Amino acid sequence: MKKSFVAVPTGHPFPLYNLPYGVFDHQGKRSIGVAIGDYVLNLTLIEEKGLLQIPALVGKKVFNQQSLNTFLRCGKACWHAVRQFLIHLLEENTPDLRDNMALRSEVLIPQNQVLMQMPVQVGGYTDFYSSIEHATNIGKLFRDPTNPLLPNWRHIPVGYDGRASAIVVSGTKIKRPKGQLKIGEEAPICAPTRKFDTEIELGFIMGTGNDLGSPISINDAHDHVFGAVMLLDWSARDIQQWEYVPLGPFLGKNFGTTISPWVVTLEALQPFSVQGPVQDPQPLPYLQKQNINFDIDLHLEIKTPKMDAYQEIAHTNYKYMYWDIAQQVAHHTVNGCNLESGDILGTGTISGPTPDSYGSLIELTWNGANPIHLNSGEERTYLNDNDSMRVIAWTKKDNLCIGFGNAEATVLAAK
Ligand code: MN
């Protein structure tokens, strides 16, 4: 396996075979880059200097942009060519950049000197509900413990249209939302949520879209997906519970969604693909394909103002998901709906089969019935003001390990 001349410690999330894309500010300028170890390679500069030797990109400015969207529209063959070029450029036996110290110090910037920004301009955001364990738990808590899954769930990758403008990059504080709460038999009130929760998810980023009226077939779906980020779907459970019938989530969800800044490409994730769960009943033909998940570990952590370090409260894995990204894309477009470059498709909360693998506080505390005991001696059911949540994700196989970095945010008091 090839290594980079940039030092990457074992177990580091960003080795040569990851090269996740991000958008960053450095010395007052916004640029696009890939992460390699603790550095970011400035692709905006590489392109500007004419060093990006990709025939399809000659004379084009795909990286001198405010977001990855222009590059995403170039398509799968182009993403592959750039990846091959960058692996070669950064590989330890390639002297071009390795031995040009002036160029190196210009284009390889320590990550602690840059400020990460939103990687894409998000035009559309859809959040699915594709973990059978999560849907079962929520069905038990919100509706009927004896019959938690609705009749459509095993036939349809259920989802809802979320709010693209409320998606923010890791580190942005999330304000406790106000909304209508219905407590017991009392009349509803308008007040800050008392059940501030988050859901661990992945967000798949659409690379190329489809024309309105022209569905993406399940066999082509992977070609349209550029990569994935971690996603925290902030949720006000009390607002959600009162508002969600009959049209689904609205103000209980659209006050903020956090994503990690580095987009891990689908090509980098390919070696870690695994077969998804057996689907019974068999889905309709437009959703039929051997379902492919990825073996991605996700760790959910909390830190209160009294704590010095984050404490893990759950760990789960993307491989448990019932509906995969190809099925979600095929379903989303079967009616002709047009997905666009930069759109984000949330997987839905990633919950596993055991209580320590649930991906949200409502499940972990069983809607507040079982508080979480923290190392600080504190208890939590839902989030207090100034609490922080973080998710960390990585995937491993044999000697190869690649990670997503982390996504975190702190709860800001209402008003
Ligand atoms: Mn969600």
Side-chain angles (χ1 to χ4, degrees):
M1 203 180 309
K2 292 176 190 168
K3 282 186 171 174
S4 175
F5 60 82
V6 179
V8 182
T10 307
H12 194 288
F14 306 140
L16 183 61
Y17 286 92
N18 192 351
L19 301 183
Y21 286 83
V23 172
F24 63 94
D25 282 354
H26 180 245
Q27 294 175 348
K29 189 174 186 306
R30 186 149 300 179
S31 302
I32 291 174
V34 290
I36 175 77
D38 291 328
Y39 288 81
V40 51
L41 177 70
N42 187 332
L43 296 180
T44 305
L45 267 182
I46 295 269
E47 180 185 73
E48 202 172 288
K49 290 171 180 292
L51 301 174
L52 191 66
Q53 291 147 8
I54 312 283
L57 297 184
V58 170
K60 293 189 178 167
K61 286 186 177 174
V62 295
F63 293 121
N64 192 356
Q65 302 285 344
Q66 302 290 303
S67 74
L68 287 168
N69 293 48
T70 304
F71 176 52
L72 300 187
R73 281 190 285 270
C74 294
K76 189 185 177 185
C78 175
W79 312 330
H80 175 72
V82 173
R83 177 177 171 80
Q84 293 303 111
F85 169 81
L86 293 175
I87 288 176
H88 177 72
L89 180 72
L90 291 166
E91 197 241 309
E92 61 185 348
N93 295 321
T94 308
D96 309 27
L97 179 58
R98 185 193 66 193
D99 297 343
N100 186 339
M101 297 317 281
L103 183 63
R104 250 177 96 156
S105 65
E106 199 178 356
V107 300
L108 279 169
I109 307 162
Q111 276 169 36
N112 59 17
Q113 292 179 14
V114 307
L115 193 60
M116 299 306 296
Q117 303 294 327
M118 278 289 290
V120 288
Q121 190 181 350
V122 187
Y125 166 48
T126 302
D127 197 22
F128 285 92
Y129 190 54
S130 289
S131 156
I132 198 165
E133 290 85 359
H134 175 71
T136 302
N137 288 336
I138 295 296
K140 284 179 183 172
L141 285 165
F142 273 26
R143 291 180 305 98
D144 181 359
T146 60
N147 189 23
L149 277 190
L150 287 165
N152 60 4
W153 199 90
R154 287 175 184 270
H155 297 274
I156 294 176
V158 172
Y160 67 94
D161 283 321
R163 184 75 196 168
S165 61
I167 299 181
V168 293
V169 74
S170 174
T172 310
K173 290 185 177 174
I174 305 289
K175 194 188 225 178
R176 179 180 298 272
K178 288 180 188 169
Q180 282 204 23
L181 319 179
K182 173 95 171 71
I183 298 155
E185 299 305 309
E186 306 293 315
I189 57 171
C190 183
T193 177
R194 300 166 188 186
K195 294 188 173 182
F196 198 144
D197 194 359
T198 195
E199 303 181 331
I200 321 186
E201 308 188 17
L202 292 179
F204 282 91
I205 292 184
M206 292 305 296
T208 48
N210 57 300
D211 293 334
L212 188 62
S214 303
I216 296 173
S217 94
I218 190 155
N219 292 315
D220 297 337
H222 272 198
D223 295 347
H224 289 260
V225 178
F226 178 69
V229 291
M230 295 179 290
L231 185 149
L232 287 167
D233 177 16
W234 303 96
S235 304
R237 298 303 183 188
D238 38 13
I239 298 173
Q240 183 184 357
Q241 183 152 23
W242 172 230
E243 76 176 358
Y244 86 101
V245 178
L247 290 184
F250 184 34
L251 301 179
K253 295 280 195 177
N254 65 8
F255 57 91
T257 303
T258 299
I259 62 167
S260 52
W262 293 108
V263 184
V264 177
T265 63
L266 210 63
E267 190 170 357
L269 289 173
Q270 284 308 331
F272 310 96
S273 60
V274 291
Q275 197 178 339
V278 173
Q279 296 182 316
D280 181 23
Q282 200 177 44
L284 287 169
Y286 79 95
L287 294 171
Q288 269 176 30
K289 184 173 183 261
Q290 184 188 22
N291 53 339
I292 300 293
N293 286 353
F294 299 96
D295 181 5
I296 299 169
D297 274 312
L298 298 113
H299 297 254
L300 184 61
E301 304 176 324
I302 191 170
K303 186 159 80 72
T304 73
K306 287 188 179 171
M307 297 166 74
D308 296 327
Y310 274 99
Q311 178 181 340
E312 180 172 311
I313 55 171
H315 61 272
T316 183
N317 194 297
Y318 176 70
K319 70 185 177 190
Y320 299 125
M321 297 304 274
Y322 190 89
W323 297 105
D324 73 4
I325 178 61
Q327 291 174 318
Q328 290 168 339
V329 168
H331 183 67
H332 204 310
T333 60
V334 68
N335 65 344
C337 175
N338 52 333
L339 291 170
E340 296 183 319
S341 298
D343 283 359
I344 295 185
L345 307 189
T347 56
T349 309
I350 303 171
S351 288
T354 56
D356 61 353
S357 64
Y358 296 162
S360 64
L361 291 173
I362 191 174
E363 293 167 273
L364 289 165
T365 68
W366 215 248
N367 198 15
N370 309 319
I372 297 169
H373 301 277
L374 301 175
N375 295 337
S376 56
E378 298 168 284
E379 284 185 350
R380 284 292 183 276
T381 51
Y382 290 98
L383 295 169
N384 287 8
D385 292 342
N386 304 310
D387 285 353
S388 301
M389 296 290 279
R390 181 167 76 172
V391 54
I392 295 177
W394 65 79
T395 176
K396 281 182 195 151
K397 190 182 184 184
D398 304 325
N399 293 325
L400 188 57
C401 165
I402 68 173
F404 286 72
N406 65 63
E408 65 185 320
T410 299
V411 176
L412 203 60
K415 76 181 176 281

